[in-house]
Amino acid sequence: MTVLSIGGSIINKNGIIQIDYLKRLGKLLAEYHLGIVVGGGFSARVYANAMKLLSNNEFLADECAILSTRQNAMLLIAAIGKNAYPNAVNSFAKAREIYFSNKTVVMYGTIPGITTDTDSVLLAEAIGAKKLINVSIIDGIYDKNPKEHKNARKLKALTHDELIELANKYDNRTAGTNFVFDSVAAKIAKRSNIELHFVSEDTNEIKKALDNKLHSGSVVKSNLGKLTE
Ligand code: UTP
């Protein structure tokens, strides 16, 4: 059993929806039975920022951003086709029902104050999945923010505790922001010993991760000892 968390930034790149990419991704995902959570990406940030300027209210900004996750989830369902349940859902109970009726389920954001990283590990817990693949524009976990530091190193393998430490550095809990992986999500992955795979949007990499093959992203497991490169 596998859960996939798809970053909204790979669906909507600076306002341009990646139709051809979505078709390829949908075709690949249609071959598997999955629990999927979709993020908000660019439009979530645009709407969250606008709502913050207008209302000065983080809760409302999150609620606005969640609507972007729903739109992206709808697009992915359309791309997957008949192997996916036709509606995007944001209830874990409903997601369980759908998953256990043998359909792929696609979820969107649930409540303000969290991110789709957290939703995805909660979905993994809800259906008993021990493996979660996080797909985003960043091709793995880095020791520093690769956008800001030229000498950032990709970590091929790390423990849940090491991920929690990195996630804590980034986490400022505000609507539309993105960090390496939400620290709450990292802690939930630890408590249920969920193995995490971080891969780029390259569909070959996603396929390798789905098929339990070696990929070029990062893996988070409970007991690895020291960080490896
Ligand atoms: P994410 O930050 O999870 O989207 O949700 P993402 O697309 O995966 O992020 P990228 O791709 O890394 O950029 C977008 C925003 O939606 C709200 C938060 O404001 C979050 O920053 N959200 C999402 C919630 O409030 N609750 C949720 O359960 C999910």
Side-chain angles (χ1 to χ4, degrees), residues 107-167:
M107 288 190 74
Y108 61 100
T110 55
I111 54 160
I114 62 172
T115 71
T116 51
D117 296 339
T118 299
D119 292 318
S120 64
V121 282
L122 289 171
L123 176 61
E125 282 195 328
I127 62 172
K130 289 292 175 195
K131 178 175 169 186
L132 189 154
I133 303 167
N134 184 286
V135 182
S136 79
I137 43 171
I138 300 173
D139 63 348
I141 301 282
Y142 285 77
D143 60 346
K144 302 186 189 100
N145 186 344
K147 285 184 198 150
E148 289 164 16
H149 301 272
K150 272 197 179 141
N151 64 346
R153 276 186 322 131
K154 195 196 307 182
L155 306 168
K156 293 290 285 176
L158 59 162
T159 64
H160 288 107
D161 284 329
E162 287 161 340
L163 178 71
I164 290 167
E165 200 179 310
L166 281 171

Side-chain angles (χ1 to χ4, degrees), residues 5-10 38-42 44-45 48 58-59 61-69 72 108-119 135-137 174-179:
S5 174
I6 310 271
S9 316
I10 67 171
V38 181
F42 177 81
R45 274 186 286 283
E58 293 280 343
F59 183 95
D62 276 344
E63 276 203 319
C64 231
I66 286 172
L67 296 177
S68 298
T69 68
N72 288 339
Y108 61 100
T110 55
I111 54 160
I114 62 172
T115 71
T116 51
D117 296 339
T118 299
D119 292 318
V135 182
S136 79
I137 43 171
T174 173
T177 61
N178 58 342
F179 13 86

